[in-house]
Amino acid sequence: MLRRIKRHVVPILCIIALLAPIIGMLLIDFYYYSTVFGWTIGFCCLVTSYIIVSKRPDEDDAVTSTTESH
């Protein structure tokens, strides 16, 4: 289960980032600044997913480095 979540964490974060502003706009009747919080949460999710993608080693590089070492 944890391996599946690790594999799909970037698409999950991107979906949350796209839905957070919309949910914030829908909740504006309950809390005045919910839209601001929605945009902030969406931005944080996008930045986090970018950091994960930039720090994750490329699969092509891992395959070529293992074949070159043999």
Side-chain angles (χ1 to χ4, degrees):
M1 178 79 173
L2 186 61
R3 184 173 290 183
R4 180 181 292 176
I5 293 173
K6 279 186 174 182
R7 185 180 304 157
H8 298 295
V9 71
V10 173
I12 291 170
L13 283 172
C14 289
I15 290 170
I16 292 171
L18 292 174
L19 292 178
I22 296 169
I23 293 171
M25 286 182 220
L26 292 174
L27 294 175
I28 195 124
D29 293 335
F30 297 110
Y31 186 64
Y32 186 72
Y33 293 107
S34 64
T35 304
V36 175
F37 287 128
W39 284 101
T40 306
I41 291 170
F43 179 75
C44 290
C45 288
L46 284 177
V47 169
T48 304
S49 65
Y50 177 75
I51 291 170
I52 290 171
V53 168
S54 65
K55 298 293 183 186
R56 185 181 293 172
D58 292 334
E59 293 177 5
D60 296 336
D61 293 341
V63 170
T64 56
S65 65
T66 57
T67 56
E68 290 175 358
S69 64
H70 288 108

